[in-house]
């Protein structure tokens, strides 16, 4: 049953992110979709993978572990991260920190457009003000709320997996819980990476946009302050997205390939 729920949970996370990519919609350009899909508006590009990841980790809570009459007594208090090891929480925390820093920085750098949406980056050339789309509060605030809900759902799922008493076969039960915890952390980290990739790509677009103003017969180019980092942001954005999808596919493939464990009856 664990394998089945794992595949469903990862599938939900993948479905949301893939639909966004295949829709070809984003906030800063009209990208031609490889398929005739327009299910996800561009403004939702940054929230949908987080929401689908949230739904995925909630599915990974199943099957619920009930009370065991033959469970072994454990004096040590278990937390949500008791079966996570040391690297997964640090990695997920670092990803969240990076996303929050970028979101807040871009939000403060944004200014309102004609209808009051904070998604423009204003640059003054002296002769005129040039404004370019940026990942401002209009996009980042809903995403930050979704990330907070995503993190809460992951922590809740980890708690549900960790807290019930261990079964009589302690080693076997511990191994299963470590595996389930790893899957939850992998889906969570994958969602953050896909989201981070979209944010970095948006910032790369802002930094490398070719804009200018006419001064007489000449065009004076206007360059964003972080334009030099534009190519690097493109690379990092693509790498983060690929790594996020790789996390999800690795969990799905490992669940499919894993041989069924044999149950050994204890007389």
């Amino acid at each position: 049953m664990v394998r089945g729920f794992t595949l469903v949970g990862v599938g939900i996370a993948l479905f949301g992110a893939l639909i966004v990519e295949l829709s070809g919609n984003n906030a800063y350009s009209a990208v031609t979709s490889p398929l005739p899909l327009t299910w996800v508006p561009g403004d939702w590009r940054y929230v949908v993978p987080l929401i689908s990841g949230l739904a995925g980790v909630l599915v990974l809570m199943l099957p619920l572990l009930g009370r065991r009459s033959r469970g072994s007594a454990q004096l040590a208090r278990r937390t949500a991260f008791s079966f996570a090891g040391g690297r997964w929480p640090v990695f997920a925390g670092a990803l969240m920190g990076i996303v929050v820093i970028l979101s807040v920085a871009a939000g403060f750098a944004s200014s309102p457009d004609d209808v009051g949406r904070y998604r423009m980056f204003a640059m003054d050339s002296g002769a005129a003000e040039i404004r370019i789309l940026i990942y401002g509060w209009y996009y980042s605030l809903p995403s930050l709320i979704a990330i907070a809900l995503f993190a809460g759902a992951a922590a809740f799922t980890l708690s549900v997996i960790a807290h019930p008493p261990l079964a009589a076969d302690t080693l076997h039960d511990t191994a299963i819980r470590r595996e389930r915890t790893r899957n939850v952390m992998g889906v969570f980290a994958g969602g953050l990476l896909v989201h981070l990739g979209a944010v970095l790509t948006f910032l790369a677009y802002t930094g490398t946009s070719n804009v200018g103003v006419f001064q007489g017969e000449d065009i004076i180019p206007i360059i964003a302050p972080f334009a030099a980092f534009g190519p690097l942001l493109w690379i990092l954005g693509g790498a983060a997205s690929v790594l996020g999808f790789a996390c999800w596919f690795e969990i799905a493939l490992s669940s499919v390939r894993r041989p069924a464990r044999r149950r050994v009856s204890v007389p």
Side-chain angles (χ1 to χ4, degrees):
M1 289 184 66
V2 172
R3 180 187 301 183
F5 284 117
T6 299
L7 291 174
V8 171
V10 177
I12 291 173
L14 277 168
F15 179 79
L18 287 175
I19 286 299
V20 170
E21 296 297 330
L22 294 176
S23 294
N25 291 320
N26 54 54
Y28 47 82
S29 65
V31 178
T32 302
S33 171
L35 294 176
L37 303 177
T38 56
W39 299 341
V40 182
D43 292 355
W44 286 86
R45 175 181 175 85
Y46 309 96
V47 176
V48 169
L50 298 172
I51 299 300
S52 64
L54 184 156
V57 297
L58 290 178
V59 172
L60 295 181
M61 187 191 310
L62 304 172
L64 297 175
L65 299 176
R67 295 183 177 274
R68 278 81 169 262
S69 58
R70 299 182 60 187
S72 59
Q74 297 289 328
L75 299 179
R77 180 176 179 272
R78 290 194 299 274
T79 67
F81 299 102
S82 293
F83 299 95
R87 291 177 294 180
W88 274 115
V90 172
F91 180 57
L95 284 176
M96 284 189 63
I98 293 172
V99 170
V100 170
I101 290 172
L102 289 176
S103 299
V104 172
F108 279 117
S110 64
S111 58
D113 60 11
D114 296 337
V115 294
R117 298 174 295 186
Y118 277 77
R119 59 175 193 163
M120 306 303 298
F121 182 64
M123 296 181 293
D124 191 356
S125 67
E129 183 182 71
I130 302 297
R131 297 194 296 173
I132 310 172
L133 280 172
I134 192 173
Y135 184 73
W137 294 124
Y138 177 71
Y139 305 107
S140 63
L141 277 180
S143 297
L144 289 173
I145 294 172
I147 289 172
L149 295 174
F150 193 8
F156 178 71
T157 300
L158 292 176
S159 297
V160 170
I161 294 172
H163 283 167
L166 292 172
D169 189 349
T170 305
L171 294 178
H172 178 72
D173 196 8
T174 299
I176 292 177
R177 296 197 199 200
R178 284 177 178 169
E179 179 182 310
R180 295 182 65 182
T181 298
R182 170 187 172 275
N183 292 339
V184 172
M185 296 300 297
V187 171
F188 180 62
L192 291 178
L193 283 166
V194 171
H195 176 72
L196 176 61
V199 172
L200 290 172
T201 302
F202 199 150
L203 295 176
Y205 159 81
T206 303
T208 56
S209 295
N210 295 318
V211 295
V213 294
F214 284 98
Q215 187 169 3
E217 298 181 354
D218 300 323
I219 298 178
I220 301 177
I222 307 299
I223 302 174
F226 53 94
F229 298 101
L232 178 61
L233 292 175
W234 283 117
I235 296 173
L236 292 177
S241 296
V242 170
L243 186 57
F245 280 103
C247 283
W248 290 339
F249 279 114
E250 192 278 332
I251 295 171
L253 291 176
S254 64
S255 297
V256 171
R257 293 174 180 174
R258 188 178 301 111
R261 294 185 174 87
R262 293 180 300 172
R263 293 185 177 272
V264 180
S265 59
V266 179

